[in-house]
Amino acid sequence: MKQSQHLPIIGWREWLTLPELGIIQVKAKIDTGARSSALHAFDIKTFDHDGIKWVRFKVHPYQRDSHQTVIAEAKLLDQRKVRSSNGQTQLRPVIQTTVKLGSKQWPIELTLTNRDAMGFRMLLGRQAVQRRFLVDSGHSFVQSSTTSHQSNDRSNQG
């Protein structure tokens, strides 16, 4: 029996938690076509903390809600050129943080970019899900329950 048959199943969209960033809930599209994961961020500023580069940024975790703002800080892992879905290359800050989905929690790399015009505040790319989950593209919120936060996110269709 293949190991993949023992992996938990997730839907094509799930509610995630980014505890180290203070983000209790963000709706993410599971995007196996994207290598890396991306988080909607704005007012991105780098700064030195004890000789180490850090990044401070703001996040509106719920689509179409600019009132709830989370201010987060993380150590800057890298700056990488990323080709977006429209084919343009953008230099993005990269951080490492913990993601929680259902009962699983693990470290991921996240690029920070303005996703205001996109349907999801976060993309969870294939590096983050490979060897951890199987994706059922016909279902949503398989590992995450839809809670009261969902009413704050008026974009339940994606």
Side-chain angles (χ1 to χ4, degrees):
M1 196 175 266
K2 287 177 152 178
Q3 179 185 341
S4 63
Q5 292 173 324
H6 297 293
L7 296 176
I9 295 172
I10 58 174
W12 71 274
R13 58 186 171 168
E14 295 282 352
W15 288 101
L16 307 177
T17 300
L18 302 171
E20 295 169 348
L21 301 180
I23 298 173
I24 297 167
Q25 198 169 45
V26 60
K27 188 171 65 173
K29 177 181 179 182
I30 312 306
D31 189 350
T32 59
R35 184 176 157 291
S36 58
S37 299
L39 177 65
H40 166 69
F42 61 100
D43 286 349
I44 302 168
K45 302 203 179 355
T46 57
F47 64 97
D48 279 341
H49 180 67
D50 293 333
I52 298 170
K53 288 262 190 229
W54 280 63
V55 64
R56 179 179 297 122
F57 53 96
K58 295 178 182 174
V59 177
H60 291 147
Y62 303 111
Q63 193 73 19
R64 297 190 188 99
D65 181 347
S66 58
H67 298 292
Q68 292 190 49
T69 303
V70 175
I71 300 170
E73 293 182 352
K75 190 165 81 169
L76 183 65
L77 194 61
D78 197 4
Q79 295 263 2
R80 289 193 197 133
K81 288 184 181 179
V82 177
R83 187 178 317 276
S84 66
S85 59
N86 65 10
Q88 294 195 340
T89 301
Q90 179 186 48
L91 187 64
R92 296 183 187 173
V94 181
I95 64 169
Q96 184 171 343
T97 193
T98 299
V99 65
K100 187 172 188 299
L101 171 55
S103 63
K104 293 199 178 286
Q105 187 168 305
W106 70 101
I108 62 167
E109 288 185 2
L110 266 181
T111 65
L112 304 176
T113 186
N114 190 317
R115 296 185 49 81
D116 254 341
M118 307 303 280
F120 288 84
R121 294 298 186 184
M122 185 171 164
L123 287 183
L124 194 64
R126 72 176 171 266
Q127 281 185 325
V129 297
Q130 68 187 4
R131 292 186 290 281
R132 287 188 177 88
F133 300 102
L134 292 178
V135 181
D136 181 344
S137 61
H139 289 88
S140 299
F141 314 116
V142 175
Q143 291 291 324
S144 56
S145 60
T146 52
T147 66
S148 62
H149 290 291
Q150 190 175 2
S151 63
N152 291 328
D153 186 343
R154 298 167 214 23
S155 175
N156 294 323
Q157 287 82 297

